[in-house]
Amino acid sequence: MRSIRVETSAATILLTEAPEPKVRDRQTEEIAKDAVTGETLMRLGVVYIEDGESSLIQVTIPESGVSEGLTLGGPVALPGLVARPWESVFNGQQRHGIAYRAAAVTPASFPVAAGA
């Protein structure tokens, strides 16, 4: 399916779950690897806030894209963030969702309030 670039310049993104290796298979505990580079993939949680609405999302990034200085609850940037719709059948049940992936996660700063 097609990847859709996510414009983040007007959003506030806060780190809610520290990056950890992404598990590909829960039964074998196999760690997910990038299909092209073979690099270990990491998963992290963020709250994405824009236009007065917020969403909790999980984002996948390559291990080399994890920056130093990340703080839980602190603002982060997700350069190259894309959303990819997916669907599958598991145990006869149709499932679907949106997978998010970014090139990196870096510390950011809170936006300056208007009139401050």
Side-chain angles (χ1 to χ4, degrees), residues 20-24 30-33 40-43 60 99:
E20 293 185 356
K22 182 176 180 178
V23 177
R24 181 172 188 246
E30 177 186 0
I31 301 299
K33 304 280 185 184
T40 296
L41 295 175
M42 307 295 282
R43 187 172 185 173
T60 299

Side-chain angles (χ1 to χ4, degrees), residues 13 15 17-23 31-35 37-46 57-68 70 76-82 84 99-107:
I13 305 170
L15 185 66
E17 295 177 35
E20 293 185 356
K22 182 176 180 178
V23 177
I31 301 299
K33 304 280 185 184
D34 183 275
T37 66
E39 185 174 2
T40 296
L41 295 175
M42 307 295 282
R43 187 172 185 173
L44 57 100
V46 298
I57 62 172
Q58 297 286 317
V59 181
T60 299
I61 58 168
E63 187 173 31
S64 63
V66 177
S67 297
E68 295 291 324
L70 299 174
V76 295
L78 296 168
L81 182 63
V82 295
R84 179 176 292 151
Y100 294 91
R101 184 154 178 178
V105 57
T106 61

